[in-house]
Amino acid sequence: MDPLALTPFAIAAGGGRIGPLAASQLVSAGTTLLQRSAPLVRALAGRSSGILLPNGPAWLLALAASDGREAVVLDPVSSGEELAAHCQTLGIGAVFTTKALSSRLPATVTRVLLDDAPATAYVILADREQTVDLGSHYGLDLVGDTGVEGTNEPCLRFTLSSTSLSHREVLAAARTAMATFAYTPVDRTLTMSPLVTPSAVIHGLVSPLLAGGLLHLREQLTTHQCRTLIEQDDVTMLVGTASTLGDLAVGIRGAPLAHSALKRVVCVSGDTTTMLATEYDLPR
């Protein structure tokens, strides 16, 4: 199979970055995790993976470590009962998560803690824990057509919307978004929306990286932190829900941005006519 048919490899070939980390480095760390953890490979055999993560670089690593199989996107605000039901009904063999969130998972499910990724991962089974060194992996050297269509094999399933997308559908939607919203290699995108819906993942992760740009992907940024990034790091694209973008607009209304390179606001849910886009006369 052409490795670029798998979404994370196509993303790596795009040359983008999540903060200081190259997308190719994160994808390489994900494949290294599989190579060095036989218990994880056994847990995933014939089953889906689960992604229970806040926004951050580890999200892409988890997608790569899913090894082309369907990755079930679990909402971090779900209850333990909901997560247990998803793990059982959707055939999840192992969940990529953090120490803080792992306590909500059933003890019978293999957990992969990515708090220290991309340096180290911890694979926790019912009876033992394996520490996996990811820091000595080699970066991927991908040469090929980043415009490959991708396969029709399942890629992502979203529990919030009961939606399933193939690798082909994810890549096609991302390329459509790249054309519609004009993502480019020089863009610096700030994603404020949690990666729990198809639109958030397409617009807030895949499209910016496939275009080769820089992505800020962080958990629960305050209005002040958003302002600092926008002003100091020349953020050009904002991706969020109507609620998060509206809250940011209210937060900065009384004190306009001193400097802004913003060129577009992308709303992934709710009313696309956000106050922020209106106030700064930005396309959306």
Side-chain angles (χ1 to χ4, degrees), residues 165 169-171 173-174 177 183 197-208:
L165 298 176
E169 290 169 329
V170 170
L171 293 173
Y183 287 99
T197 66
S199 186
V201 171
I202 296 298
H203 295 289
L205 176 75
V206 184
S207 293

Side-chain angles (χ1 to χ4, degrees), residues 123-144:
V123 180
I124 301 177
L125 295 86
D127 57 345
R128 64 191 180 97
E129 175 178 326
Q130 177 193 20
T131 300
V132 183
D133 175 23
L134 306 176
S136 59
H137 62 77
Y138 294 96
L140 294 177
D141 182 16
L142 295 178
V143 178

Side-chain angles (χ1 to χ4, degrees), residues 180-232:
T180 301
F181 297 104
Y183 287 99
T184 71
V186 298
D187 278 315
R188 305 170 80 86
T189 301
L190 170 58
T191 296
M192 302 167 60
S193 174
L195 299 179
V196 293
T197 66
S199 186
V201 171
I202 296 298
H203 295 289
L205 176 75
V206 184
S207 293
L209 295 178
L210 206 60
L214 174 70
L215 176 61
H216 291 291
L217 190 62
R218 303 183 189 176
E219 179 185 8
Q220 297 178 334
L221 289 175
T222 65
T223 298
H224 175 72
Q225 290 170 323
C226 288
R227 284 185 64 109
T228 300
L229 277 175
I230 292 169
E231 292 180 328
Q232 296 184 3

Side-chain angles (χ1 to χ4, degrees), residues 238-277:
L238 275 180
V239 179
T241 63
S243 175
T244 56
L245 294 170
D247 289 345
L248 179 59
V250 171
I252 64 178
R253 176 170 292 166
L257 296 171
H259 166 74
S260 173
L262 279 177
K263 68 177 188 180
R264 188 177 291 273
V265 170
V266 180
C267 185
V268 299
S269 68
D271 184 2
T272 57
T273 307
T274 67
M275 289 188 290
L276 190 67

Side-chain angles (χ1 to χ4, degrees), residues 26 30 50 69 73 104 113 125 151 167 172 194 214 254 265 273 284:
L26 294 165
R69 63 174 47 81
V73 181
R104 283 191 250 155
L113 306 186
L125 295 86
T151 69
H167 289 273
L214 174 70
V265 170
T273 307
R284 48 191 179 269

